Structure formats: C-alpha cells, structure tokens
Amino acid sequence: MSCAALVLNQHKHDEETMAVEQSPASSQGTPVRHSILGPPYRWLQIDCQCYYSENLYVHSVNAYFRLPSLNSSEAEFWAANNSSLGTDRSPAPTYNTAQRADIYREVMKEACRRAKIPEVYRTNLLNIAEQYTPLHPELFLPPIATENPGSGGGHELGPGLDLQSVFTSTFLKVWKSACSGEPLPQDLRHVHDACFECSFLQRDFCLRIKEELKHFKTKDLPHLRPNSMNRNGCILNEIGLGPLMDRIVGTFLLPVCNILYPELLETGLSAHHSFIVDYAVGQDVSLGVHDDNSEITINVALSEDYEGGSLALYHRARVEHPQRLEKKPYYHRVGMGTLLMHPGELLHEVLPLTSGERQGLIIWMKSDGFRKTNGCALCRSNKT
C-alpha cells in the first residue's frame, strides 16, 4: 500500500474511532474502547493533516522541509521548498544534485514513517503488554477511569510509590501551594523567557525509570522512536507507563502549569505525549533548533555524568525554519531529577554531546481548546 493510501485509510480510521469514542457509554458506564490502549490522545489519532506534510526534518542538513503531497515528484518537492529556505539575513543553502536527491528520499521516508505510526503504535503497544515482564512492576499502574487526562489519579500514585519516594520535598511544596491558591514559592525559579526550573523527581525514582528502560531495551521488542527528530529513546505509554504519567501530569504538574501558563491551559489539558530521549556518542549527539508540538513542555533531566550536551534556550516563535533565525542563547544544564517548564513555542536545541550519555524525560502537554482558537501548533491552521 502506498503512503498516500495509508494516510487516507488512517484518516478514515480516525473518524471512525472518534465516532466510537463519542458514542453512548456501555451498560457499565465506561467508554467503549480497548482498555490497554488507554485514552484516545496517545498517538492513536493524528490531530492535523499537516503532520504528514510539514516540518519534515532531515538530520544530515539540519533543516526542515515541506512535502506538497505523498505523491510529489522530486521536481515538485523542490519547487515547494526552494523559495522558502532563505531569509533576508540568511540566504538559502545550496545543495548539489546528489544532496537534493538524498534530501528528497529522506523526506519521503519520514513522511511514510509518519503515515504508518498510528497502526504501528497500536500493534507495538498490544504486543508489549502481552510479552514484556517489567523489572519494576510498581511503575505499571492501572489506567485512570476518566475521560480527562488532567482530572484523576488522587494524591497517591500507587503501591510502592508514595509521594515522598517519587517527588522532592521542594516540588511537593510548590504543588501544594498551587493546589491551595497560595503564591508559588521561590523554589520554582524563573530562569528565562517564560521558563521555570524546579527540583522535581527523587534521584532513586529517576534511577528506577532508567533501570526499567534499560531492561526494556534488552528485550528487543519493536517500539517507535519518540518523535520525528529524536531517533533514540521510547514512548512511555507504548511500553506501559502511560497510566503512571497520567497521574504525574494530571494530578501534580497540571495545577502548577495552570498557575504559570493560564492562557495556554484556559480550556483544560486534552493530552500529553510523554517520552524518553537518549543521546550518546555514536548515536544522536545533538538536536537542531526547534519548537515543540505542545502548548507546554516539561523537560526532566535523567542524567548528569556527561560533557557537552547543554540545552540552549532562545525565544518564543513558531517559524518555518527556526535554525536560520538570529538567536541569543540561554544555556541550561541541571542535575538529575530537575525539571524545566517552557511554552512549546520556545525555540531550543541540544548542543553536541562530547562524552558520556545524556537522557531526559520529555512531556508535551496539549490543549484542544487552545488550538481551536489559535490553530495547530505546527501549521497554525484551525482545520484538523
């Protein structure tokens, strides 16, 4: 089946899935849905058709491209991209014939990979649920019985996961202040343009997460890359950690984000995409300038024994070629378990790693209500 046909089939499947999810509840009062898959927001639907055509990143040239359609010829592809690659201050790069052919092939490959994601994700998730035996079973919680990923979970994560063993006392103080309506303590530090930093997860809990991921990787079970730019890591819901992240995001992070970014979450949290990114010499060592497909991003450090690999923070902008803008960096580097919160539209990049391994937990928080007013985070269109 061609990539174009895959997209058409996926779009039809998404419409059918949404119809099922919006249908009356079952006789038990619960949604009609496979319980393992969890809420519909975790990669089960593509929320905008631009996902298949915009912001297609090519690592070898550190640039983004657009694809007019999945049937585009090389000539049509370059006709759509030649005029958009340059700016007044930064002329368009020049590619030779071989480079242009390679770029076209890479863009088509990435577009086809994206077209297959929802079905591959479903298959992987179910296979992993059947075949994987966790190293730390206490991390694998049952799904929250709610339609809203930002409304449930209570104040305990689960057996063996009391709050003091998961979160630092500093973060719990910030969280309690947010929940009670009191001013947020100074432990939550403003470090850059709408960016905030705070001690978040206990070191032992971070190590448990890292050990679980290392254990999972030894099983060679098929799983997706975390996003279109990072090639190493994993999607937490795909390997069974979605319910854990539902509780961490919905119960503990959301009240703080509501205080810091009320304009972004005014209509509520609709989804989160939580994943791990890995950097190591010989693999991904850096990540080019980009914004995120999120309203709010949470970035939690899971390692600290490495050289290079700092996070460079710039300014807020949704632009077609962010790597070609003039930018003034703020360099961010913290210890294990510390979080950074920032708007998804903040431009940032990971500078080259020179030794060691760098690992991070990333959470993209999405609001459908915000996007209905402001458009898709990637293309700014209100059409989904």
Side-chain angles (χ1 to χ4, degrees):
M1 183 180 292
S2 69
C3 291
L6 280 168
V7 170
L8 290 174
N9 285 350
Q10 181 58 41
H11 184 61
K12 180 180 179 181
H13 185 280
D14 289 348
E15 291 179 336
E16 293 171 347
T17 302
M18 290 177 70
V20 169
E21 288 159 356
Q22 293 168 1
S23 65
S26 69
S27 59
Q28 287 75 32
T30 56
V32 181
R33 173 185 304 130
H34 195 304
S35 61
I36 296 178
L37 291 177
Y41 55 84
R42 299 196 199 102
W43 281 80
L44 299 182
Q45 298 172 17
I46 301 302
D47 59 2
C48 183
Q49 291 301 299
C50 78
Y51 182 74
Y52 302 112
S53 61
E54 303 294 327
N55 295 277
L56 295 155
Y57 183 69
V58 177
H59 280 262
S60 60
V61 294
N62 186 29
Y64 298 87
F65 299 88
R66 68 162 64 103
L67 188 64
S69 80
L70 288 169
N71 295 317
S72 297
S73 66
E74 184 175 345
E76 291 169 334
F77 166 74
W78 282 109
N81 284 278
N82 282 333
S83 62
S84 67
L85 290 175
T87 66
D88 291 340
R89 294 184 177 182
S90 182
T94 300
Y95 303 118
N96 61 37
T97 301
Q99 288 175 317
R100 289 166 73 90
D102 286 342
I103 290 169
Y104 171 70
R105 282 193 293 270
E106 286 299 311
V107 167
M108 292 298 294
K109 180 180 177 182
E110 170 61 14
C112 286
R113 185 192 72 85
R114 293 186 184 190
K116 298 174 183 176
I117 281 178
E119 189 55 42
V120 172
Y121 173 83
R122 291 179 177 90
T123 301
N124 288 351
L125 190 151
L126 294 173
N127 286 341
I128 291 168
E130 292 174 357
Q131 300 179 37
Y132 180 58
T133 302
L135 179 66
H136 295 292
E138 71 277 9
L139 299 177
F140 293 77
L141 301 173
I144 297 174
T146 177
E147 286 289 290
N148 185 347
S151 66
H155 292 171
E156 296 292 335
L157 291 182
L161 292 176
D162 60 277
L163 301 191
Q164 288 71 28
S165 70
V166 174
F167 303 108
T168 64
S169 58
T170 298
F171 176 76
L172 289 175
K173 182 167 66 172
V174 171
W175 170 66
K176 289 175 182 177
S177 296
C179 291
S180 65
E182 299 175 1
L184 297 181
Q186 295 183 353
D187 301 284
L188 183 69
R189 300 176 295 279
H190 176 255
V191 295
H192 186 56
D193 180 12
C195 300
F196 296 88
E197 175 187 300
C198 183
S199 172
F200 179 46
L201 297 177
Q202 293 283 9
R203 185 180 186 86
D204 286 348
F205 183 74
C206 291
L207 292 175
R208 265 193 278 182
I209 294 288
K210 290 167 67 71
E211 289 168 358
E212 190 66 54
L213 295 173
K214 185 176 180 180
H215 177 67
F216 171 78
K217 291 283 189 175
T218 66
K219 304 307 177 182
D220 293 326
L221 292 169
H223 62 284
L224 289 167
R225 58 197 284 185
N227 56 58
S228 62
M229 296 182 72
N230 291 102
R231 292 172 289 192
N232 299 290
C234 65
I235 299 170
L236 292 181
N237 185 58
E238 189 181 32
I239 70 171
L241 293 174
L244 171 68
M245 296 310 302
D246 287 345
R247 290 163 169 84
I248 289 176
V249 173
T251 301
F252 297 95
L253 288 172
L254 184 59
V256 180
C257 291
N258 280 333
I259 300 295
L260 297 178
Y261 308 104
E263 73 284 1
L264 299 178
L265 294 175
E266 183 178 6
T267 57
L269 172 68
S270 305
H272 70 82
H273 173 47
S274 301
F275 54 95
I276 300 294
V277 292
D278 290 323
Y279 300 89
V281 176
Q283 302 177 17
D284 284 344
V285 295
S286 63
L287 191 65
V289 181
H290 62 285
D291 57 345
D292 294 334
N293 187 4
S294 68
E295 272 59 74
I296 299 170
T297 293
I298 311 294
N299 186 329
V300 185
L302 293 180
S303 55
E304 52 197 5
D305 188 17
Y306 60 90
E307 298 295 330
S310 292
L311 181 65
L313 306 173
Y314 299 112
H315 58 276
R316 286 175 280 179
R318 299 279 195 194
V319 294
E320 192 169 7
H321 297 288
Q323 73 277 16
R324 304 186 65 76
L325 290 180
E326 289 189 355
K327 301 172 289 294
K328 183 177 180 180
Y330 169 84
Y331 298 110
H332 176 80
R333 177 164 176 168
V334 293
M336 184 184 296
T338 300
L339 68 73
L340 175 74
M341 297 179 175
H342 65 78
E345 65 180 351
L346 185 89
L347 296 177
H348 54 288
E349 69 177 314
V350 177
L351 301 178
L353 182 79
T354 56
S355 68
E357 297 182 357
R358 182 185 187 276
Q359 191 172 60
L361 164 61
I362 311 297
I363 303 166
W364 288 352
M365 300 173 69
K366 171 190 167 188
S367 169
D368 287 338
F370 181 84
R371 295 185 183 205
K372 286 179 180 178
T373 301
N374 297 276
C376 168
L378 299 182
C379 71
R380 288 306 192 192
S381 170
N382 289 319
K383 298 177 181 179
T384 58

mmCIF file of all heavy atoms in Angstrom, residues 153-195:
data_model
loop_
_atom_site.group_PDB
_atom_site.id
_atom_site.type_symbol
_atom_site.label_atom_id
_atom_site.label_comp_id
_atom_site.label_asym_id
_atom_site.label_seq_id
_atom_site.Cartn_x
_atom_site.Cartn_y
_atom_site.Cartn_z
ATOM 1 N N GLY A 153 -6.660 10.431 39.443
ATOM 2 C CA GLY A 153 -5.485 9.787 39.974
ATOM 3 C C GLY A 153 -5.318 9.906 41.457
ATOM 4 O O GLY A 153 -4.555 9.163 42.060
ATOM 5 N N GLY A 154 -6.009 10.854 42.107
ATOM 6 C CA GLY A 154 -5.842 11.009 43.541
ATOM 7 C C GLY A 154 -4.471 11.554 43.880
ATOM 8 O O GLY A 154 -3.706 11.966 43.016
ATOM 9 N N HIS A 155 -4.143 11.528 45.170
ATOM 10 C CA HIS A 155 -2.879 12.088 45.628
ATOM 11 C C HIS A 155 -1.852 11.027 45.961
ATOM 12 O O HIS A 155 -0.832 11.320 46.580
ATOM 13 C CB HIS A 155 -3.129 13.004 46.843
ATOM 14 C CG HIS A 155 -3.899 14.239 46.480
ATOM 15 N ND1 HIS A 155 -4.387 15.110 47.425
ATOM 16 C CD2 HIS A 155 -4.263 14.743 45.283
ATOM 17 C CE1 HIS A 155 -5.020 16.103 46.817
ATOM 18 N NE2 HIS A 155 -4.955 15.900 45.522
ATOM 19 N N GLU A 156 -2.109 9.794 45.600
ATOM 20 C CA GLU A 156 -1.136 8.714 45.733
ATOM 21 C C GLU A 156 -0.974 8.073 44.363
ATOM 22 O O GLU A 156 -1.959 7.828 43.660
ATOM 23 C CB GLU A 156 -1.622 7.668 46.743
ATOM 24 C CG GLU A 156 -1.748 8.185 48.162
ATOM 25 C CD GLU A 156 -0.395 8.519 48.795
ATOM 26 O OE1 GLU A 156 0.613 7.925 48.362
ATOM 27 O OE2 GLU A 156 -0.356 9.360 49.704
ATOM 28 N N LEU A 157 0.263 7.804 43.979
ATOM 29 C CA LEU A 157 0.479 7.206 42.668
ATOM 30 C C LEU A 157 0.120 5.732 42.652
ATOM 31 O O LEU A 157 -0.412 5.225 41.667
ATOM 32 C CB LEU A 157 1.934 7.395 42.240
ATOM 33 C CG LEU A 157 2.346 8.838 41.911
ATOM 34 C CD1 LEU A 157 3.791 8.868 41.444
ATOM 35 C CD2 LEU A 157 1.433 9.445 40.874
ATOM 36 N N GLY A 158 0.414 5.000 43.719
ATOM 37 C CA GLY A 158 0.105 3.583 43.767
ATOM 38 C C GLY A 158 0.958 2.886 44.804
ATOM 39 O O GLY A 158 1.843 3.492 45.431
ATOM 40 N N PRO A 159 0.733 1.585 45.030
ATOM 41 C CA PRO A 159 1.530 0.819 45.998
ATOM 42 C C PRO A 159 3.025 0.897 45.674
ATOM 43 O O PRO A 159 3.445 0.675 44.545
ATOM 44 C CB PRO A 159 1.004 -0.610 45.821
ATOM 45 C CG PRO A 159 -0.379 -0.444 45.263
ATOM 46 C CD PRO A 159 -0.305 0.761 44.388
ATOM 47 N N GLY A 160 3.822 1.210 46.688
ATOM 48 C CA GLY A 160 5.262 1.331 46.485
ATOM 49 C C GLY A 160 5.673 2.646 45.879
ATOM 50 O O GLY A 160 6.858 2.855 45.581
ATOM 51 N N LEU A 161 4.704 3.550 45.674
ATOM 52 C CA LEU A 161 5.008 4.845 45.058
ATOM 53 C C LEU A 161 4.379 5.966 45.882
ATOM 54 O O LEU A 161 3.559 6.745 45.391
ATOM 55 C CB LEU A 161 4.473 4.890 43.621
ATOM 56 C CG LEU A 161 5.142 3.987 42.595
ATOM 57 C CD1 LEU A 161 4.427 4.077 41.254
ATOM 58 C CD2 LEU A 161 6.618 4.336 42.429
ATOM 59 N N ASP A 162 4.737 6.033 47.158
ATOM 60 C CA ASP A 162 4.259 7.144 47.966
ATOM 61 C C ASP A 162 4.895 8.433 47.469
ATOM 62 O O ASP A 162 5.965 8.423 46.844
ATOM 63 C CB ASP A 162 4.581 6.912 49.441
ATOM 64 C CG ASP A 162 6.078 6.780 49.684
ATOM 65 O OD1 ASP A 162 6.609 5.663 49.489
ATOM 66 O OD2 ASP A 162 6.708 7.788 50.031
ATOM 67 N N LEU A 163 4.251 9.540 47.725
ATOM 68 C CA LEU A 163 4.676 10.811 47.137
ATOM 69 C C LEU A 163 6.115 11.164 47.496
ATOM 70 O O LEU A 163 6.864 11.689 46.667
ATOM 71 C CB LEU A 163 3.732 11.932 47.592
ATOM 72 C CG LEU A 163 2.257 11.767 47.235
ATOM 73 C CD1 LEU A 163 1.500 13.057 47.510
ATOM 74 C CD2 LEU A 163 2.086 11.329 45.784
ATOM 75 N N GLN A 164 6.524 10.894 48.734
ATOM 76 C CA GLN A 164 7.876 11.268 49.166
ATOM 77 C C GLN A 164 8.955 10.452 48.460
ATOM 78 O O GLN A 164 10.103 10.902 48.367
ATOM 79 C CB GLN A 164 8.004 11.100 50.684
ATOM 80 C CG GLN A 164 7.251 12.153 51.498
ATOM 81 C CD GLN A 164 5.745 11.986 51.426
ATOM 82 O OE1 GLN A 164 5.253 10.872 51.238
ATOM 83 N NE2 GLN A 164 5.019 13.085 51.563
ATOM 84 N N SER A 165 8.604 9.272 47.965
ATOM 85 C CA SER A 165 9.595 8.468 47.251
ATOM 86 C C SER A 165 9.687 8.840 45.784
ATOM 87 O O SER A 165 10.642 8.476 45.111
ATOM 88 C CB SER A 165 9.251 6.972 47.370
ATOM 89 O OG SER A 165 8.094 6.649 46.617
ATOM 90 N N VAL A 166 8.699 9.575 45.279
ATOM 91 C CA VAL A 166 8.680 9.965 43.866
ATOM 92 C C VAL A 166 9.131 11.414 43.694
ATOM 93 O O VAL A 166 10.009 11.711 42.877
ATOM 94 C CB VAL A 166 7.269 9.788 43.269
ATOM 95 C CG1 VAL A 166 7.206 10.329 41.835
ATOM 96 C CG2 VAL A 166 6.862 8.319 43.307
ATOM 97 N N PHE A 167 8.531 12.324 44.472
ATOM 98 C CA PHE A 167 8.775 13.753 44.286
ATOM 99 C C PHE A 167 9.667 14.307 45.388
ATOM 100 O O PHE A 167 9.648 13.834 46.524
ATOM 101 C CB PHE A 167 7.450 14.525 44.290
ATOM 102 C CG PHE A 167 6.465 14.053 43.255
ATOM 103 C CD1 PHE A 167 5.333 13.356 43.635
ATOM 104 C CD2 PHE A 167 6.683 14.298 41.909
ATOM 105 C CE1 PHE A 167 4.418 12.918 42.694
ATOM 106 C CE2 PHE A 167 5.775 13.866 40.950
ATOM 107 C CZ PHE A 167 4.643 13.173 41.329
ATOM 108 N N THR A 168 10.428 15.339 45.049
ATOM 109 C CA THR A 168 11.238 16.008 46.052
ATOM 110 C C THR A 168 10.333 16.839 46.963
ATOM 111 O O THR A 168 9.230 17.244 46.570
ATOM 112 C CB THR A 168 12.280 16.931 45.403
ATOM 113 O OG1 THR A 168 11.597 17.987 44.700
ATOM 114 C CG2 THR A 168 13.171 16.167 44.432
ATOM 115 N N SER A 169 10.805 17.106 48.162
ATOM 116 C CA SER A 169 10.032 17.940 49.091
ATOM 117 C C SER A 169 9.843 19.340 48.520
ATOM 118 O O SER A 169 8.824 19.996 48.761
ATOM 119 C CB SER A 169 10.742 18.014 50.448
ATOM 120 O OG SER A 169 12.053 18.546 50.304
ATOM 121 N N THR A 170 10.822 19.793 47.740
ATOM 122 C CA THR A 170 10.721 21.111 47.111
ATOM 123 C C THR A 170 9.536 21.166 46.156
ATOM 124 O O THR A 170 8.731 22.104 46.191
ATOM 125 C CB THR A 170 12.012 21.430 46.341
ATOM 126 O OG1 THR A 170 13.108 21.475 47.248
ATOM 127 C CG2 THR A 170 11.900 22.764 45.619
ATOM 128 N N PHE A 171 9.413 20.154 45.306
ATOM 129 C CA PHE A 171 8.296 20.175 44.361
ATOM 130 C C PHE A 171 6.964 20.014 45.083
ATOM 131 O O PHE A 171 5.970 20.659 44.713
ATOM 132 C CB PHE A 171 8.432 19.083 43.304
ATOM 133 C CG PHE A 171 7.236 19.033 42.395
ATOM 134 C CD1 PHE A 171 7.071 19.982 41.395
ATOM 135 C CD2 PHE A 171 6.247 18.063 42.574
ATOM 136 C CE1 PHE A 171 5.938 19.980 40.583
ATOM 137 C CE2 PHE A 171 5.115 18.054 41.762
ATOM 138 C CZ PHE A 171 4.969 19.007 40.758
ATOM 139 N N LEU A 172 6.899 19.146 46.088
ATOM 140 C CA LEU A 172 5.641 18.963 46.808
ATOM 141 C C LEU A 172 5.181 20.261 47.459
ATOM 142 O O LEU A 172 3.977 20.538 47.518
ATOM 143 C CB LEU A 172 5.791 17.858 47.855
ATOM 144 C CG LEU A 172 5.899 16.433 47.292
ATOM 145 C CD1 LEU A 172 6.171 15.434 48.412
ATOM 146 C CD2 LEU A 172 4.646 16.042 46.523
ATOM 147 N N LYS A 173 6.134 21.074 47.899
ATOM 148 C CA LYS A 173 5.769 22.375 48.467
ATOM 149 C C LYS A 173 5.183 23.279 47.382
ATOM 150 O O LYS A 173 4.176 23.969 47.610
ATOM 151 C CB LYS A 173 6.997 23.028 49.103
ATOM 152 C CG LYS A 173 6.704 24.363 49.758
ATOM 153 C CD LYS A 173 7.857 24.829 50.640
ATOM 154 C CE LYS A 173 9.103 25.134 49.836
ATOM 155 N NZ LYS A 173 10.168 25.762 50.656
ATOM 156 N N VAL A 174 5.802 23.271 46.196
ATOM 157 C CA VAL A 174 5.284 24.060 45.069
ATOM 158 C C VAL A 174 3.891 23.575 44.688
ATOM 159 O O VAL A 174 2.965 24.360 44.468
ATOM 160 C CB VAL A 174 6.242 23.966 43.864
ATOM 161 C CG1 VAL A 174 5.617 24.599 42.616
ATOM 162 C CG2 VAL A 174 7.579 24.634 44.180
ATOM 163 N N TRP A 175 3.718 22.264 44.597
ATOM 164 C CA TRP A 175 2.441 21.664 44.199
ATOM 165 C C TRP A 175 1.333 22.002 45.201
ATOM 166 O O TRP A 175 0.217 22.383 44.810
ATOM 167 C CB TRP A 175 2.621 20.156 44.082
ATOM 168 C CG TRP A 175 1.349 19.390 43.916
ATOM 169 C CD1 TRP A 175 0.490 19.437 42.856
ATOM 170 C CD2 TRP A 175 0.786 18.475 44.859
ATOM 171 N NE1 TRP A 175 -0.573 18.593 43.076
ATOM 172 C CE2 TRP A 175 -0.417 17.985 44.297
ATOM 173 C CE3 TRP A 175 1.184 17.995 46.104
ATOM 174 C CZ2 TRP A 175 -1.230 17.052 44.940
ATOM 175 C CZ3 TRP A 175 0.389 17.064 46.756
ATOM 176 C CH2 TRP A 175 -0.805 16.608 46.179
ATOM 177 N N LYS A 176 1.622 21.879 46.486
ATOM 178 C CA LYS A 176 0.609 22.185 47.497
ATOM 179 C C LYS A 176 0.208 23.656 47.452
ATOM 180 O O LYS A 176 -0.970 23.994 47.638
ATOM 181 C CB LYS A 176 1.137 21.810 48.885
ATOM 182 C CG LYS A 176 1.242 20.307 49.105
ATOM 183 C CD LYS A 176 1.891 19.968 50.440
ATOM 184 C CE LYS A 176 2.034 18.456 50.607
ATOM 185 N NZ LYS A 176 2.729 18.096 51.871
ATOM 186 N N SER A 177 1.160 24.521 47.164
ATOM 187 C CA SER A 177 0.840 25.950 47.044
ATOM 188 C C SER A 177 -0.069 26.193 45.848
ATOM 189 O O SER A 177 -1.024 26.965 45.926
ATOM 190 C CB SER A 177 2.125 26.773 46.903
ATOM 191 O OG SER A 177 2.924 26.678 48.061
ATOM 192 N N ALA A 178 0.226 25.526 44.735
ATOM 193 C CA ALA A 178 -0.601 25.687 43.544
ATOM 194 C C ALA A 178 -2.016 25.187 43.788
ATOM 195 O O ALA A 178 -2.998 25.812 43.365
ATOM 196 C CB ALA A 178 0.030 24.938 42.376
ATOM 197 N N CYS A 179 -2.151 24.068 44.483
ATOM 198 C CA CYS A 179 -3.470 23.483 44.740
ATOM 199 C C CYS A 179 -4.297 24.340 45.699
ATOM 200 O O CYS A 179 -5.533 24.383 45.610
ATOM 201 C CB CYS A 179 -3.324 22.079 45.313
ATOM 202 S SG CYS A 179 -2.693 20.867 44.136
ATOM 203 N N SER A 180 -3.626 25.020 46.623
ATOM 204 C CA SER A 180 -4.329 25.813 47.636
ATOM 205 C C SER A 180 -4.550 27.257 47.210
ATOM 206 O O SER A 180 -5.235 28.018 47.909
ATOM 207 C CB SER A 180 -3.553 25.789 48.950
ATOM 208 O OG SER A 180 -2.289 26.432 48.791
ATOM 209 N N GLY A 181 -3.975 27.652 46.080
ATOM 210 C CA GLY A 181 -4.125 29.021 45.612
ATOM 211 C C GLY A 181 -3.162 29.998 46.245
ATOM 212 O O GLY A 181 -3.288 31.215 46.047
ATOM 213 N N GLU A 182 -2.188 29.488 46.996
ATOM 214 C CA GLU A 182 -1.188 30.362 47.608
ATOM 215 C C GLU A 182 -0.118 30.740 46.583
ATOM 216 O O GLU A 182 0.051 30.059 45.572
ATOM 217 C CB GLU A 182 -0.535 29.643 48.793
ATOM 218 C CG GLU A 182 -1.505 29.268 49.902
ATOM 219 C CD GLU A 182 -0.820 28.448 50.994
ATOM 220 O OE1 GLU A 182 0.398 28.198 50.864
ATOM 221 O OE2 GLU A 182 -1.503 28.049 51.947
ATOM 222 N N PRO A 183 0.623 31.821 46.805
ATOM 223 C CA PRO A 183 1.707 32.185 45.888
ATOM 224 C C PRO A 183 2.729 31.054 45.783
ATOM 225 O O PRO A 183 3.049 30.400 46.779
ATOM 226 C CB PRO A 183 2.320 33.426 46.544
ATOM 227 C CG PRO A 183 1.222 33.986 47.405
ATOM 228 C CD PRO A 183 0.451 32.794 47.900
ATOM 229 N N LEU A 184 3.224 30.825 44.596
ATOM 230 C CA LEU A 184 4.209 29.761 44.410
ATOM 231 C C LEU A 184 5.520 30.152 45.076
ATOM 232 O O LEU A 184 5.980 31.290 44.943
ATOM 233 C CB LEU A 184 4.434 29.504 42.920
ATOM 234 C CG LEU A 184 3.216 28.998 42.142
ATOM 235 C CD1 LEU A 184 3.583 28.752 40.675
ATOM 236 C CD2 LEU A 184 2.651 27.726 42.759
ATOM 237 N N PRO A 185 6.153 29.235 45.798
ATOM 238 C CA PRO A 185 7.409 29.557 46.495
ATOM 239 C C PRO A 185 8.545 29.843 45.524
ATOM 240 O O PRO A 185 8.509 29.463 44.352
ATOM 241 C CB PRO A 185 7.688 28.297 47.324
ATOM 242 C CG PRO A 185 6.923 27.216 46.649
ATOM 243 C CD PRO A 185 5.714 27.854 46.035
ATOM 244 N N GLN A 186 9.564 30.495 46.041
ATOM 245 C CA GLN A 186 10.701 30.864 45.204
ATOM 246 C C GLN A 186 11.540 29.668 44.774
ATOM 247 O O GLN A 186 12.436 29.815 43.940
ATOM 248 C CB GLN A 186 11.580 31.883 45.945
ATOM 249 C CG GLN A 186 10.883 33.208 46.186
ATOM 250 C CD GLN A 186 11.793 34.226 46.859
ATOM 251 O OE1 GLN A 186 12.909 33.909 47.269
ATOM 252 N NE2 GLN A 186 11.305 35.452 46.987
ATOM 253 N N ASP A 187 11.253 28.488 45.326
ATOM 254 C CA ASP A 187 11.954 27.280 44.878
ATOM 255 C C ASP A 187 11.684 27.012 43.397
ATOM 256 O O ASP A 187 12.464 26.335 42.740
ATOM 257 C CB ASP A 187 11.484 26.081 45.704
ATOM 258 C CG ASP A 187 11.743 26.268 47.183
ATOM 259 O OD1 ASP A 187 12.907 26.132 47.597
ATOM 260 O OD2 ASP A 187 10.787 26.569 47.909
ATOM 261 N N LEU A 188 10.561 27.519 42.896
ATOM 262 C CA LEU A 188 10.263 27.455 41.466
ATOM 263 C C LEU A 188 10.871 28.703 40.841
ATOM 264 O O LEU A 188 10.346 29.805 40.979
ATOM 265 C CB LEU A 188 8.759 27.405 41.234
ATOM 266 C CG LEU A 188 8.317 27.268 39.774
ATOM 267 C CD1 LEU A 188 8.660 25.900 39.212
ATOM 268 C CD2 LEU A 188 6.812 27.522 39.650
ATOM 269 N N ARG A 189 12.007 28.531 40.175
ATOM 270 C CA ARG A 189 12.813 29.658 39.729
ATOM 271 C C ARG A 189 12.519 30.022 38.275
ATOM 272 O O ARG A 189 12.504 29.153 37.398
ATOM 273 C CB ARG A 189 14.302 29.322 39.871
ATOM 274 C CG ARG A 189 14.708 29.013 41.297
ATOM 275 C CD ARG A 189 16.160 28.594 41.393
ATOM 276 N NE ARG A 189 16.416 27.324 40.708
ATOM 277 C CZ ARG A 189 16.162 26.130 41.223
ATOM 278 N NH1 ARG A 189 15.622 26.031 42.436
ATOM 279 N NH2 ARG A 189 16.440 25.031 40.553
ATOM 280 N N HIS A 190 12.311 31.316 38.024
ATOM 281 C CA HIS A 190 12.203 31.808 36.653
ATOM 282 C C HIS A 190 13.623 31.990 36.110
ATOM 283 O O HIS A 190 14.420 32.730 36.679
ATOM 284 C CB HIS A 190 11.454 33.139 36.611
ATOM 285 C CG HIS A 190 11.384 33.735 35.240
ATOM 286 N ND1 HIS A 190 12.147 34.807 34.846
ATOM 287 C CD2 HIS A 190 10.658 33.367 34.152
ATOM 288 C CE1 HIS A 190 11.888 35.109 33.584
ATOM 289 N NE2 HIS A 190 10.988 34.243 33.139
ATOM 290 N N VAL A 191 13.947 31.284 35.022
ATOM 291 C CA VAL A 191 15.335 31.292 34.533
ATOM 292 C C VAL A 191 15.491 31.931 33.161
ATOM 293 O O VAL A 191 16.604 32.286 32.757
ATOM 294 C CB VAL A 191 15.917 29.861 34.490
ATOM 295 C CG1 VAL A 191 16.032 29.292 35.894
ATOM 296 C CG2 VAL A 191 15.081 28.943 33.600
ATOM 297 N N HIS A 192 14.403 32.063 32.407
ATOM 298 C CA HIS A 192 14.499 32.608 31.056
ATOM 299 C C HIS A 192 13.093 32.976 30.597
ATOM 300 O O HIS A 192 12.153 32.930 31.385
ATOM 301 C CB HIS A 192 15.151 31.560 30.125
ATOM 302 C CG HIS A 192 15.443 32.053 28.733
ATOM 303 N ND1 HIS A 192 16.219 33.160 28.484
ATOM 304 C CD2 HIS A 192 15.050 31.596 27.514
ATOM 305 C CE1 HIS A 192 16.308 33.352 27.178
ATOM 306 N NE2 HIS A 192 15.596 32.422 26.568
ATOM 307 N N ASP A 193 12.936 33.326 29.355
ATOM 308 C CA ASP A 193 11.668 33.754 28.774
ATOM 309 C C ASP A 193 10.560 32.718 29.012
ATOM 310 O O ASP A 193 10.471 31.716 28.302
ATOM 311 C CB ASP A 193 11.872 33.969 27.271
ATOM 312 C CG ASP A 193 10.619 34.427 26.557
ATOM 313 O OD1 ASP A 193 9.642 34.799 27.230
ATOM 314 O OD2 ASP A 193 10.614 34.424 25.317
ATOM 315 N N ALA A 194 9.720 32.948 30.020
ATOM 316 C CA ALA A 194 8.618 32.051 30.387
ATOM 317 C C ALA A 194 9.103 30.632 30.709
ATOM 318 O O ALA A 194 8.351 29.673 30.561
ATOM 319 C CB ALA A 194 7.563 32.004 29.289
ATOM 320 N N CYS A 195 10.340 30.498 31.148
ATOM 321 C CA CYS A 195 10.919 29.197 31.507
ATOM 322 C C CYS A 195 11.117 29.138 33.024
ATOM 323 O O CYS A 195 11.662 30.079 33.616
ATOM 324 C CB CYS A 195 12.267 28.982 30.823
ATOM 325 S SG CYS A 195 12.201 29.022 29.023
#
